[in-house]
Amino acid sequence: MNSQRLALFPITTRLEPGTNGEVMYIGGCDLTELAERYGTPLYLYDQASMDAAVDEYRSALHTYPNHSGITYAGKAFLCVAVAQWAVRRGLWLDCTGAGEISIAVAAGAPRGQILVHGVNKTAGDLRAAVAHAGVIVVDNLSELHHLAEVYTDQDDPFPDLWLRVRPGVAVDTHSYRQTGQDDSKFGMSYTETLEAVRLCHRQGLPLHGLHFHQGSHFHDPEPVGPAVARVLDLMVDLRRDSGWTPGYLCPGGGWGIPYHEDDLPHPSIEDYVRFVARRVEEGCEARDLALPILHLEPGRSLVARAGVALYRVGAVKQTPQRRWLLLDGGMADNIRPALYGARYSALPVADPIRPTAGAAWLAGPYCESGDVLIHELPMPDVAEGELIAVPASGAYHLMMGSNYNGALRPAVVWIRGGKSSLIQRREEIADLIRRDLPLEVE
Ligand code: LLP
């Protein structure tokens, strides 16, 4: 069981002999030393795991007989260092709004590698997108009208526009993460898309692509089939209606990952990419459509496995019903269990392959009974002061983090070839009151 859990950790995870049994190493770094040097809770990112995921996407995309590309969905985890990594790897960066655009710009991302998303983008978001992006994915007709107002063909350069279509089919995932269904708040209907293309042509807007995204964290690519078919049918209608065929087609991201040993074995990135590429290729052939450039937009499947959260056990508490391991982090750095019922696993850093002593509940320090990171996980006897490592922590943890109960956002460390570098410092108390202004209280 415990050795299966190890398979959830970054690809460079090894057990090395320590003073009291084996100790977990990632990317050649001793996790005990990292916790001492940087403190806990601590987030680690293993570059080799991120690179391997990119390589797997790329080699599977080679089966597609036209050009292809990958956009990294920065909402999974974005900071300057990760944006630099993405740019160096030739990935485009999907930024939601002006805030994420400014992180990409601070990392030196060129216009050609910034793509902007957002449902209900503000005027400020659109200004930042026009100033810095290579592509804006237009969510709705109001946004398109706004862009038409600011567009003049003297403006050079102006981002390419892609239209986000609602394909009417969602993937199988938690309802909070479904986006492709007809009543979703995201994207445009079939008829709205026809209207949007006409508007682009009337105004001479630089329209180049179609986009859809059916939801996040799915394990079965089957529902991508009917969505591709629906969007290719739309392309046939668009060709007839306006003589336009998109040069780019992006079927979004959303491929899932294993979080718990019960999720293993998990179908591979390669299976998913080949499935999508084949559907697009065959669908275009059947409709006599020119093959578009295929862009995929993964977030989680590029970074989640690379990330590990390290916590220290402050106290062990036994109630008649259960054994509690009380950690120094919880829902402020990982809201996913509380928000989606997400199921995680964990191992002690020292001597991780110990026999289990029954189920444990791993809870955070915050004033909420729902602040439980892991429910009912077989765990060995764990003593106060021990380190616990939670795998698959690289996506949608810190980006959804909070300062609840005055929590300080954890430090983030990049790991490569036996070296660690701090890429985000731990928040300090001063950060908590940085935005506050005193009031003359009468
Ligand atoms: N493209 C678009 C337009 C998206 O909205 C998303 C995710 C992605 C790509 C990337 O999806 P991924 O490959 O990372 O699954 N907070 C949730 C996930 C929300 C996903 C939001 N959009 C979670 O923690 O599971």
Side-chain angles (χ1 to χ4, degrees):
M1 171 276 292
N2 282 0
S3 53
Q4 251 198 316
R5 265 182 216 176
L6 273 175
L8 302 166
F9 281 84
I11 61 169
T12 60
T13 305
R14 307 271 178 271
L15 302 185
E16 304 275 349
T19 35
N20 295 317
E22 291 180 310
V23 178
M24 217 187 274
Y25 275 66
I26 293 176
C29 294
D30 176 345
L31 297 200
T32 319
E33 270 176 35
L34 293 179
E36 261 151 39
R37 167 131 50 119
Y38 299 104
T40 56
L42 182 66
Y43 274 74
L44 314 173
Y45 278 83
D46 174 49
Q47 183 182 317
S49 298
M50 290 161 62
D51 287 342
V54 172
D55 289 348
E56 195 175 348
Y57 267 98
R58 284 232 163 93
S59 71
L61 277 169
H62 274 312
T63 59
Y64 184 69
N66 192 3
H67 295 294
S68 59
I70 304 166
T71 304
Y72 167 54
K75 53 181 80 67
F77 181 58
L78 195 64
C79 62
V80 169
V82 168
Q84 286 176 310
W85 165 83
V87 169
R88 264 311 268 278
R89 293 290 172 270
L91 308 177
W92 293 5
L93 271 169
D94 151 21
C95 301
T96 303
E100 289 190 359
I101 293 171
S102 67
I103 298 174
V105 169
R111 183 185 276 278
Q113 282 176 259
I114 298 179
L115 172 146
V116 174
H117 262 297
V119 63
N120 195 18
K121 301 177 188 74
T122 64
D125 292 334
L126 289 175
R127 259 197 310 279
V130 168
H132 299 291
V135 175
I136 299 177
V137 183
V138 180
D139 178 83
N140 56 66
L141 284 165
S142 314
E143 181 185 332
L144 190 60
H145 283 291
H146 190 99
L147 284 165
E149 276 164 29
V150 297
Y151 179 71
T152 63
D153 45 15
Q154 275 83 31
D155 260 353
D156 62 322
F158 195 87
D160 286 357
L161 302 184
W162 296 3
L163 303 176
R164 179 163 180 172
V165 184
R166 224 161 41 223
V169 193
V171 288
D172 184 11
T173 188
H174 191 289
S175 64
Y176 291 1
R177 296 187 299 247
Q178 289 182 314
T179 55
Q181 69 279 15
D182 270 331
D183 68 347
S184 161
K185 70 172 181 174
F186 298 96
M188 285 176 262
S189 69
Y190 206 87
T191 48
E192 284 168 334
T193 313
L194 288 169
E195 195 182 328
V197 173
R198 283 186 214 126
L199 187 119
C200 287
H201 285 159
R202 272 203 310 278
Q203 308 273 341
L205 289 166
L207 177 62
H208 290 281
L210 288 183
H211 173 284
F212 65 93
H213 174 72
Q214 297 171 264
S216 181
H217 193 44
F218 61 93
H219 318 279
D220 175 5
E222 209 51 50
V224 183
V228 166
R230 175 109 172 120
V231 172
L232 296 183
D233 286 345
L234 171 63
M235 277 163 62
V236 171
D237 287 350
L238 288 169
R239 181 173 58 187
R240 190 178 322 115
D241 192 65
S242 344
W244 178 72
T245 309
Y248 287 86
L249 176 65
C250 178
W255 185 240
I257 61 129
Y259 281 94
H260 188 283
E261 52 269 30
D262 288 355
D263 304 333
L264 294 169
H266 191 274
S268 66
I269 289 172
E270 185 185 347
D271 293 343
Y272 155 67
V273 175
R274 281 174 178 262
F275 179 93
V276 176
R278 207 175 324 113
R279 289 304 170 105
V280 174
E281 184 188 347
E282 290 170 2
C284 284
E285 220 170 80
R287 293 167 181 80
D288 197 25
L289 286 162
L291 270 192
I293 297 173
L294 181 62
H295 245 261
L296 298 182
E297 205 170 54
R300 181 188 333 256
S301 50
L302 291 184
V303 297
R305 184 175 176 190
V308 172
L310 267 189
Y311 302 103
R312 206 173 280 283
V313 178
V316 179
K317 204 180 264 186
Q318 184 69 52
T319 65
Q321 292 77 16
R322 65 192 99 243
R323 170 167 61 126
W324 289 106
L325 305 181
L326 301 178
L327 310 179
D328 54 1
M331 70 191 305
D333 60 274
N334 180 7
I335 193 70
R336 301 191 70 261
L339 190 56
Y340 314 114
R343 211 165 150 237
Y344 282 80
S345 191
L347 281 175
V349 166
D351 204 6
I353 311 297
R354 281 181 260 166
T356 167
W361 275 251
L362 284 70
Y366 307 111
C367 302
E368 296 273 338
S369 290
D371 176 29
V372 180
L373 283 184
I374 309 183
H375 292 251
E376 206 174 355
L377 183 72
M379 284 292 276
D381 258 328
V382 173
E384 286 179 17
E386 275 204 58
L387 288 168
I388 299 289
V390 176
S393 293
Y396 304 109
H397 285 207
L398 298 174
M399 303 306 280
M400 299 173 80
S402 76
N403 292 117
Y404 186 49
N405 287 177
L408 301 173
R409 286 164 207 267
V412 184
V413 166
W414 186 262
I415 286 176
R416 179 173 59 106
K419 291 213 177 77
S420 65
S421 334
L422 189 65
I423 57 169
Q424 236 173 14
R425 68 161 171 80
R426 184 176 306 284
E427 264 185 343
E428 295 162 358
I429 296 291
D431 293 318
L432 289 183
I433 50 173
R434 206 173 34 183
R435 294 183 308 126
D436 294 7
L437 301 169
L439 180 69
E440 292 286 326
V441 182
E442 299 189 354

